[in-house]
């Protein structure tokens, strides 16, 4: 089948796109408002976009249940800082609970039974229960096409200033993915947990290949 995105003529009960671009890692973003209140919400339009320097992006799209932009975007725009907490299988219920449409300014840490822990380099707290946190400074907010409920989609780009990793995750100099058990979004109401891993070595450079022509990922 083929469908035209402008016409959305896939003929299926649900748009299949989010079931195809999978799995999407979940950035569990903590922020603080000007009033000092903490905020926490998951975003699966999220990824690491560069390594040197390390940069991440996430997309708060559409409106808050009470109208206007989501609290996370509002806080990031006024404070210029956020923390990405890693969403793990163990924390799956708390991740989901933190997406509840609570009244504006409500503290999702308390709602989801989580503990805020002071960050080292930024003001927003981290989720103590999460084993990995990326402390980030806002780089740029990009307004994207599209509008739902009078609110545009946005992409937030941030520079990662510091990374906190639970010591129990590191063994022989590498992250133990089997201990981390990160969860990610699939389509519909489905999630995945990373459990199966395989390894492939990169092809070696042909003698005449120019090093700058090698893709970086
Ligand atoms: C796993 C998961 C992933 C989500 N990903 C996104 C996303 O990428 N963009 C978005 O705008 N909302 C996303 N949501 C919904 C937000 O988390 C939700 O609207 C939240 O209430 C926003 O909170 P805030 O107003 O405190 O920022 C997601 C929800 C869940 C459960």
């Amino acid at each position: 089948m083929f469908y035209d995105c402008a016409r959305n003529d896939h003929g299926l009960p649900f748009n299949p796109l989010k079931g195809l671009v999978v799995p999407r890692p979940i950035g569990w973003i903590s922020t603080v408002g000007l009033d000092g209140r903490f905020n926490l919400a998951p975003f699966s339009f999220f990824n690491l976009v560069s390594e040197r320097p390390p940069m991440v992006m996430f997309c708060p799209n559409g409106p808050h249940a009470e109208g206007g932009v989501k609290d996370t975007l509002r806080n990031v725009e006024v404070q210029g800082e956020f923390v990405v907490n890693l969403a793990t299988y163990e924390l799956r219920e708390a991740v989901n609970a933190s997406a509840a449409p609570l009244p504006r300014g409500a503290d999702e840490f308390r709602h989801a039974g989580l503990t805020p822990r002071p960050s080292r380099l930024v003001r927003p707290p981290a989720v103590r229960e999460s084993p990995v946190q990326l402390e980030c400074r806002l780089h740029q907010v990009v307004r994207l096409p599209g509008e739902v409920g009078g609110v545009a989609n946005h992409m937030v780009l941030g520079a990662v200033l510091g990374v906190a990793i639970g010591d129990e995750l590191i063994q022989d100099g590498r992250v133990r993915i089997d201990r981390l058990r990160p969860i990610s979004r699939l389509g519909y109401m489905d999630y995945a947990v990373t459990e199966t891993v395989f390894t492939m070595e990169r092809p070696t450079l042909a003698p005449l290949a120019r090093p700058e022509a090698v893709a970086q990922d």
Side-chain angles (χ1 to χ4, degrees):
M1 67 173 281
F2 175 85
Y3 74 97
D4 179 324
C5 294
R7 289 209 295 267
N8 219 19
D9 56 355
H10 46 71
L12 303 172
F14 301 103
N15 188 320
L17 191 55
K18 288 199 289 180
L20 296 168
V21 184
V22 292
R24 293 184 307 284
I26 298 171
W28 201 14
I29 312 288
S30 45
T31 55
V32 62
L34 275 183
D35 56 6
R37 282 195 278 191
F38 299 155
N39 195 85
L40 179 67
F43 292 86
S44 72
F45 292 127
F46 161 78
N47 223 314
L48 182 70
V49 294
S50 70
E51 191 183 12
R52 280 178 295 176
M55 308 274 300
V56 291
M57 73 89 193
F58 70 95
C59 299
N61 294 337
H64 186 275
E66 295 175 12
V69 299
K70 295 189 175 181
D71 282 342
T72 303
L73 176 60
R74 198 174 58 165
N75 290 349
V76 166
E77 287 193 303
V78 296
Q79 294 277 30
E81 294 175 339
F82 61 93
V83 176
V84 178
N85 304 274
L86 212 104
T88 63
Y89 186 73
E90 202 185 340
L91 293 168
R92 65 195 181 282
E93 296 293 350
V95 172
N96 200 24
S98 71
L102 303 181
R104 199 174 266 295
D107 177 349
E108 288 90 358
F109 278 87
R110 191 169 303 161
H111 176 74
L114 297 163
T115 325
R117 171 181 72 64
S119 299
R120 289 166 179 80
L121 304 175
V122 297
R123 279 160 294 182
V127 174
R128 182 182 294 281
E129 289 79 359
S130 172
V132 174
Q133 294 99 23
L134 317 181
E135 300 187 14
C136 301
R137 183 173 58 215
L138 175 64
H139 174 71
Q140 193 181 346
V141 176
V142 180
R143 194 186 159 106
L144 301 173
E147 203 177 272
V148 176
V151 175
N153 297 330
H154 292 85
M155 178 170 63
V156 175
L157 283 159
V160 184
L161 305 181
V163 180
I165 311 171
D167 293 332
E168 70 286 358
L169 291 178
I170 305 289
Q171 192 181 330
D172 301 329
R174 297 173 63 133
V175 173
R176 287 278 304 254
I177 194 77
D178 57 325
R179 291 185 188 158
L180 189 58
R181 307 195 81 207
I183 55 170
S184 50
R185 276 292 276 132
L186 306 175
Y188 318 104
M189 288 297 116
D190 298 339
Y191 291 76
V193 54
T194 302
E195 284 177 335
T196 308
V197 174
F198 64 93
T199 304
M200 287 198 292
E201 299 303 328
R202 287 289 174 95
T204 49
L205 276 181
L208 292 177
R210 300 195 329 272
E212 62 271 26
V214 176
Q216 289 189 349
D217 71 346

